[in-house]
Amino acid sequence: MNNYKLLPALVSILQTRNLTESAKQLGVTQSAISKTLNQLREDFYDKIIVREANKFILTKKGEKLKEQLPALLQQLDNLYAPELMEPSLCQRQFTLASSDYVAQAILPSIAYNIEKEAPNVSIEYKLWHKDNLNTFAEQHVDLVATIADFIPDNLYGKMMAEDQLAVVFRNTHSKSTNDITINDYINAKHILISGGGDKSSPVDQVLTMMNLNRHIFATVPFFQAAIELLLKTNTMLTIPLHIAADFAQHYDLQIKRLPINIKAQKYYLLWHAKHHQDPEHRWFREICFPLIKTHLEKTIEQGMKLIHTHQ
C-alpha cells in the first residue's frame, strides 16, 4: 500500500458506510469515490465494505481499519505540528465531558486556569454517558472524566480516585438518627438522577439479584435538582460519597452507608490515542487532571469523616 492520499477517503467511507455521503463530505463525485474504493480494495486485498440487504456493512478488515486509522492519521498530522505549546498563541476549542456535577463544582476552576494561561482558548462542556466509552473516537471529545470498569483499546487514561456510593437525605427525614437497613432502603422513596447516564444503576442491578426493588419517587436530570427535591420531600438519594460530602457542606443533609455491598467506583480521566502526542492537548489535560483529582480526593476525605460521624 503506497497511496497514502487515499486514506482520508477510506476513513470517510468507513465512518459513513455510504458512498453518496462520503462523496458529499469530500467534495468529489460518486464515481470518483467508487473508483477510490476499488483502488483501496485492491491495495488491502479486502472488500472493506459490502452490501447486505439495503445497507452496507464493514468486513472484519474494515472494522479493524475503522478502529485504527483515525489515530494513525492524527499521528501523521502531528509530525507537522509544532512541538512546543505556546498557550498565549493557542486559539483552539477544547471539549471536556463529564457529569453536570463536574460542570458545577470543577469546571469554573478549569476555566479560570485556561483564561489565565491562554486567553484565546475556549472550552465546550458536554454531558457524558458511560455507554459512549465504546464509541469514543466518534464523540468529538478531547477529555472525559468518568467512572469506568475497564479502558477500551486506543484510549489513554489516568485513574484519579476510587469512591463508594452513599445514601443522602434531609436532616428531618424519619431515618436520620439510625443506620439504614436494607428494609429501610427498599421501603423508602428514592430520587434518581438520569442526566449523563444512570448514576446509580449498580444499585438496581444488585437489588434485582436479591429479588428486591426500590420505589422511584422522582427522576431528574441533574444533581442540583435532585438535592432541591431531597430538601423538600421525605426521600433518599444514592450518589457517590464525594458528591454527597460536597453538598452536605451547603445543605442540611445526612449521609449514611449504603446497606448493600457495591464495589468502589474508579474515576478516570480519559483521552483518545490520536491526541496523546499533541502538545496542545497535553497542556489541556495537564490543567484538568490535577484540578479534578484534587477535588475528588478532598471531597472523598470529607465524606469519610461525615459517614463515620453519622454512624
Side-chain angles (χ1 to χ4, degrees), residues 130 147-151 159 161-166 199-207 209-210 238-242 257-268 300:
K130 277 193 296 183
I147 295 165
D149 295 320
F150 71 100
I151 310 303
M159 198 177 92
E162 277 193 28
D163 194 18
Q164 58 187 290
L165 290 171
K199 294 187 172 64
S200 52
S201 58
V203 169
D204 295 306
Q205 287 166 11
V206 171
L207 288 175
M209 285 164 66
M210 297 165 74
T238 304
I239 54 176
L241 178 61
H242 73 276
R257 287 194 181 280
L258 192 63
I260 52 177
N261 202 12
I262 288 179
K263 66 175 182 177
Q265 296 178 320
K266 294 181 178 180
Y267 288 81
Y268 287 89
I300 288 169

Side-chain angles (χ1 to χ4, degrees), residues 170-190:
R170 63 182 179 177
N171 271 335
T172 54
H173 193 285
S174 56
K175 296 293 174 190
S176 61
T177 54
N178 308 316
D179 288 347
I180 301 174
T181 65
I182 186 74
N183 280 342
D184 294 334
Y185 190 76
I186 59 168
N187 290 323
K189 292 193 292 186
H190 293 263

Side-chain angles (χ1 to χ4, degrees), residues 95-264:
T95 304
L96 173 63
S98 192
S99 69
D100 61 285
Y101 171 76
V102 170
Q104 182 183 326
I106 311 168
L107 181 61
S109 300
I110 291 170
Y112 171 80
N113 280 272
I114 286 173
E115 187 184 46
K116 198 170 59 173
E117 285 190 34
N120 300 313
V121 163
S122 57
I123 187 160
E124 180 188 6
Y125 192 93
K126 290 183 176 178
L127 275 184
W128 181 253
H129 289 256
K130 277 193 296 183
D131 298 348
N132 288 348
L133 260 192
N134 297 316
T135 56
F136 199 111
E138 293 149 44
Q139 299 299 323
H140 305 296
V141 164
D142 288 296
L143 281 181
V144 170
T146 186
I147 295 165
D149 295 320
F150 71 100
I151 310 303
D153 290 344
N154 267 341
L155 294 193
Y156 281 84
K158 290 183 176 183
M159 198 177 92
M160 296 182 287
E162 277 193 28
D163 194 18
Q164 58 187 290
L165 290 171
V167 185
V168 192
F169 40 76
R170 63 182 179 177
N171 271 335
T172 54
H173 193 285
S174 56
K175 296 293 174 190
S176 61
T177 54
N178 308 316
D179 288 347
I180 301 174
T181 65
I182 186 74
N183 280 342
D184 294 334
Y185 190 76
I186 59 168
N187 290 323
K189 292 193 292 186
H190 293 263
I191 294 169
L192 202 62
I193 300 170
S194 59
D198 180 359
K199 294 187 172 64
S200 52
S201 58
V203 169
D204 295 306
Q205 287 166 11
V206 171
L207 288 175
T208 301
M209 285 164 66
M210 297 165 74
N211 287 323
L212 298 171
N213 65 300
R214 55 185 176 152
H215 170 53
I216 306 300
F217 169 71
T219 304
V220 291
F222 306 122
F223 278 102
Q224 187 67 48
I227 296 295
E228 299 295 343
L229 268 183
L230 201 63
L231 293 166
K232 296 257 192 318
T233 57
N234 203 41
T235 51
M236 293 181 179
L237 177 63
T238 304
I239 54 176
L241 178 61
H242 73 276
I243 300 177
D246 199 12
F247 279 118
Q249 289 185 89
H250 307 287
Y251 302 98
D252 289 331
L253 297 172
Q254 285 276 335
I255 303 175
K256 299 282 185 181
R257 287 194 181 280
L258 192 63
I260 52 177
N261 202 12
I262 288 179
K263 66 175 182 177

